[in-house]
Amino acid sequence: MKKLLVAFSLTLFISAGFAQEQKEKTVTLTIDQAVEYALKNSRTLKSNDIDLEMKKRASDVSWNVFLPNVSVNGTMKRSNEISPSYAQYGITDYPDEESRWDVIGGASVSWNFTPAYIAKIQIAKANYEAGKISWEQSQNETLVNVKKIYYGLLLQQESLKIQKTTLENARRRMIQAEANFKSGLVPEISLLQTQVNYENTKPTVDSAEQTLNQQFDTFAFLIGLPVGTKIELTSSIEPQYVDVTTEGLLNEYADNDLQIQSMKKNMETAKLGITALDLSTWVPTFALSYGWTPMYTDGSALGLPQNAKAFGFAGDLGKNDKWYDSGSLTLTLAWNLTNMLPWSSNRQQVKDYRQQLAQLELAVESLKENQKVQVRKAVDTLNQAKQQIENMNRSVQLAQKAYDMQLRSYRSGTTELLDLRDSENSLNQAKLGQLNQKYQYISALMDLENTLNVKLTGGSNSAITK
């Protein structure tokens, strides 16, 4: 027993250690690797795959409306009393138990056809095509979100690095002030200023680090990694610049918009719905039915004469011919006259479809106008962000030069701490401003590509003037 406890404890210890090692393992991701991982593991995308598979299956087997209905059955029937029709033959009761029983088997095949079935098949295929567009929309939106969060995390990381650098500089100045104070080179107020500056900076850095860790958890969840996984991002915030015009983009790619394509597919489905309802209303349904119903009856045991056929029995019962077929072949043309009434549910559904078409047409017009607004806004953002990046590049260089000069002066005792801190803040703001404009450029470019459903980087496009 003691050995078992030791072995069990050892197993738990090894398992816990392995789990801890797995949890602490760092996953290194470039932007492309993050996108690829999301495509394979995102729960949202997996759910969308299932939705699309259901629509595809419905489209592939939509022809099954033409399948006939086939059924088989078997019945055993025991009569309680003799039929009055036998009384003329002087038969008042069954001679034995077997004579009370009849055995009936059956097989039937029925097949209906209406031209509305063709429209229903087309509706199923149109729903699948619309499903593919919705699937692609969801794919694009998820991947854009993944990329935006990725670059947003890089921006937060750079911001945190700057804040940590600022904190470290504050700590070093505090240590230097302590040494200078002990040597009698600076008054106590200077020492207190550096200590207050350091202590005030620490909570800000801690809060920023906590926020960043929470954002990493959100990112892990989005791409399908276990929450708490340590992630290292290896890409950088460096945009690929494009020179585009609003008119060129709209002329070339306006029809690529997936939202507009989805609306048009919905319009097509509504038109097919109207066609299906009209066909089911005004065109008759053809029904073909055949039933084979063999029946066993022991009429000979009752002593019926040879002319028993005249009473509805087939075969020569006097010769013990006990089976006969009571099935039939039926051909039918049927109209549902109620559906022709203008206030019937059928015709009301047609009116609903027509109103839906009117709404979809308005929605398409609205989407086209909104598309123009979004494209123009994105192009303006790209141009402005690019200009700001170039301007801030010069600002960062000047701010770095000014900070280096202030730092040397502070170390030599010719500059006040407040002046050094102002110079450092200016440098940090310039760096963060430049990074933020790079993020704005990348984000606007992704939104533009998603709106027009086109890749503007890494290839040649007539809308790119560069």
Side-chain angles (χ1 to χ4, degrees), residues 41-294:
N41 301 281
S42 171
R43 297 170 183 84
T44 301
L45 296 184
K46 287 181 179 179
S47 178
N48 294 335
D49 290 341
I50 295 173
D51 288 338
L52 183 62
E53 179 60 28
M54 289 190 293
K55 287 183 172 63
K56 182 179 185 300
R57 186 173 66 252
S59 174
D60 291 342
V61 299
S62 58
W63 53 267
N64 60 14
V65 294
F66 293 116
L67 290 176
N69 293 319
V70 181
S71 64
V72 294
N73 62 80
T75 303
M76 294 184 68
K77 182 179 71 174
R78 182 184 183 278
S79 300
N80 295 329
E81 296 181 359
I82 198 74
S83 172
S85 61
Y86 293 117
Q88 58 185 314
Y89 299 110
I91 302 173
T92 59
D93 198 5
Y94 291 98
D96 53 35
E97 180 64 22
E98 182 182 359
S99 302
R100 292 177 176 273
W101 288 90
D102 292 329
V103 179
I104 305 171
S108 64
V109 179
S110 62
W111 182 72
N112 297 337
F113 173 76
T114 172
Y117 287 167
I118 300 174
K120 290 181 179 180
I121 293 175
Q122 293 174 326
I123 289 174
K125 295 188 179 300
N127 284 334
Y128 173 53
E129 294 299 322
K132 288 197 293 185
I133 295 174
S134 298
W135 178 85
E136 188 176 355
Q137 275 184 286
S138 181
Q139 290 275 114
N140 292 346
E141 290 173 0
T142 300
L143 296 185
V144 166
N145 289 335
V146 168
K147 291 179 180 180
K148 283 187 175 183
I149 294 179
Y150 187 100
Y151 286 119
L153 288 172
L154 286 176
L155 181 61
Q156 286 183 271
Q157 279 185 326
E158 293 300 321
S159 175
L160 183 60
K161 285 180 182 178
I162 292 174
Q163 292 182 61
K164 285 186 174 181
T165 300
T166 301
L167 180 63
E168 178 61 19
N169 291 339
R171 187 187 69 82
R172 290 179 179 179
R173 286 195 292 268
M174 182 182 67
I175 293 175
Q176 182 182 2
E178 289 177 350
N180 291 340
F181 174 71
K182 291 177 181 179
S183 301
L185 298 177
V186 295
E188 185 178 5
I189 186 63
S190 297
L191 173 61
L192 293 176
Q193 287 176 341
T194 58
Q195 291 175 337
V196 169
N197 181 42
Y198 174 71
E199 295 298 333
N200 287 341
T201 306
K202 284 175 61 178
T204 303
V205 175
D206 292 340
S207 177
E209 190 166 14
Q210 181 181 9
T211 301
L212 180 61
N213 292 333
Q214 293 172 348
Q215 291 298 321
F216 267 112
D217 286 342
T218 302
F219 182 68
F221 172 79
L222 181 63
I223 66 176
L225 280 172
V227 175
T229 302
K230 189 175 181 181
I231 301 174
E232 181 181 350
L233 308 181
T234 57
S235 296
S236 59
I237 308 179
E238 290 300 331
Q240 298 182 41
Y241 296 109
V242 294
D243 290 334
V244 293
T245 62
T246 301
E247 292 74 16
L249 289 171
L250 291 174
N251 291 337
E252 188 75 17
Y253 304 112
D255 292 335
N256 288 9
D257 191 319
L258 291 177
Q259 284 185 297
I260 294 177
Q261 290 183 28
S262 179
M263 287 293 179
K264 289 182 177 179
K265 281 296 178 183
N266 290 337
M267 292 172 64
E268 179 182 343
T269 303
K271 291 177 181 177
L272 289 171
I274 293 174
T275 301
L277 289 170
D278 285 342
L279 290 173
S280 65
T281 300
W282 308 112
V283 179
T285 299
F286 173 72
L288 171 65
S289 176
Y290 176 76
W292 176 62
T293 310

Side-chain angles (χ1 to χ4, degrees), residues 160-444:
L160 183 60
K161 285 180 182 178
I162 292 174
Q163 292 182 61
K164 285 186 174 181
T165 300
T166 301
L167 180 63
E168 178 61 19
N169 291 339
R171 187 187 69 82
R172 290 179 179 179
R173 286 195 292 268
M174 182 182 67
I175 293 175
Q176 182 182 2
E178 289 177 350
N180 291 340
F181 174 71
K182 291 177 181 179
S183 301
L185 298 177
V186 295
E188 185 178 5
I189 186 63
S190 297
L191 173 61
L192 293 176
Q193 287 176 341
T194 58
Q195 291 175 337
V196 169
N197 181 42
Y198 174 71
E199 295 298 333
N200 287 341
T201 306
K202 284 175 61 178
T204 303
V205 175
D206 292 340
S207 177
E209 190 166 14
Q210 181 181 9
T211 301
L212 180 61
N213 292 333
Q214 293 172 348
Q215 291 298 321
F216 267 112
D217 286 342
T218 302
F219 182 68
F221 172 79
L222 181 63
I223 66 176
L225 280 172
V227 175
T229 302
K230 189 175 181 181
I231 301 174
E232 181 181 350
L233 308 181
T234 57
S235 296
S236 59
I237 308 179
E238 290 300 331
Q240 298 182 41
Y241 296 109
V242 294
D243 290 334
V244 293
T245 62
T246 301
E247 292 74 16
L249 289 171
L250 291 174
N251 291 337
E252 188 75 17
Y253 304 112
D255 292 335
N256 288 9
D257 191 319
L258 291 177
Q259 284 185 297
I260 294 177
Q261 290 183 28
S262 179
M263 287 293 179
K264 289 182 177 179
K265 281 296 178 183
N266 290 337
M267 292 172 64
E268 179 182 343
T269 303
K271 291 177 181 177
L272 289 171
I274 293 174
T275 301
L277 289 170
D278 285 342
L279 290 173
S280 65
T281 300
W282 308 112
V283 179
T285 299
F286 173 72
L288 171 65
S289 176
Y290 176 76
W292 176 62
T293 310
M295 181 176 179
Y296 171 88
T297 181
D298 193 8
S300 61
L302 302 177
L304 295 179
Q306 296 295 324
N307 64 350
K309 292 182 181 179
F311 297 93
F313 295 95
D316 189 355
L317 297 180
K319 295 181 179 180
N320 295 322
D321 188 2
K322 302 175 182 179
W323 289 96
Y324 73 98
D325 181 10
S326 63
S328 62
L329 173 66
T330 304
L331 302 176
T332 305
L333 282 177
W335 280 269
N336 189 327
L337 298 181
T338 301
N339 286 340
M340 299 180 184
L341 299 175
W343 51 84
S344 67
S345 61
N346 186 292
R347 305 319 298 167
Q348 292 302 311
Q349 288 181 30
V350 171
K351 292 180 181 179
D352 290 343
Y353 273 127
R354 296 190 189 283
Q355 289 181 322
Q356 288 176 15
L357 275 174
Q359 288 179 324
L360 289 171
E361 289 174 356
L362 292 173
V364 169
E365 292 178 6
S366 178
L367 283 173
K368 287 183 177 179
E369 292 302 314
N370 183 63
Q371 180 192 67
K372 296 177 183 178
V373 174
Q374 296 302 322
V375 171
R376 187 176 302 277
K377 178 182 176 181
V379 171
D380 290 344
T381 301
L382 291 177
N383 294 332
Q384 183 182 18
K386 184 179 180 181
Q387 185 62 42
Q388 290 293 332
I389 291 169
E390 294 174 354
N391 294 338
M392 288 184 173
N393 187 46
R394 293 189 292 270
S395 297
V396 169
Q397 294 176 357
L398 293 174
Q400 184 67 55
K401 184 177 180 180
Y403 173 75
D404 292 340
M405 293 176 62
Q406 289 283 8
L407 182 60
R408 288 194 295 268
S409 298
Y410 177 77
R411 289 174 176 173
S412 63
T414 59
T415 298
E416 296 292 335
L417 174 61
L418 183 60
D419 295 332
L420 178 62
R421 288 178 57 189
D422 290 341
S423 179
E424 185 178 39
N425 288 336
S426 297
L427 175 60
N428 292 340
Q429 289 176 4
K431 289 180 178 179
L432 286 176
Q434 186 183 46
L435 286 172
N436 186 63
Q437 288 301 318
K438 289 182 178 181
Y439 175 79
Q440 293 298 327
Y441 189 96
I442 293 173
S443 180

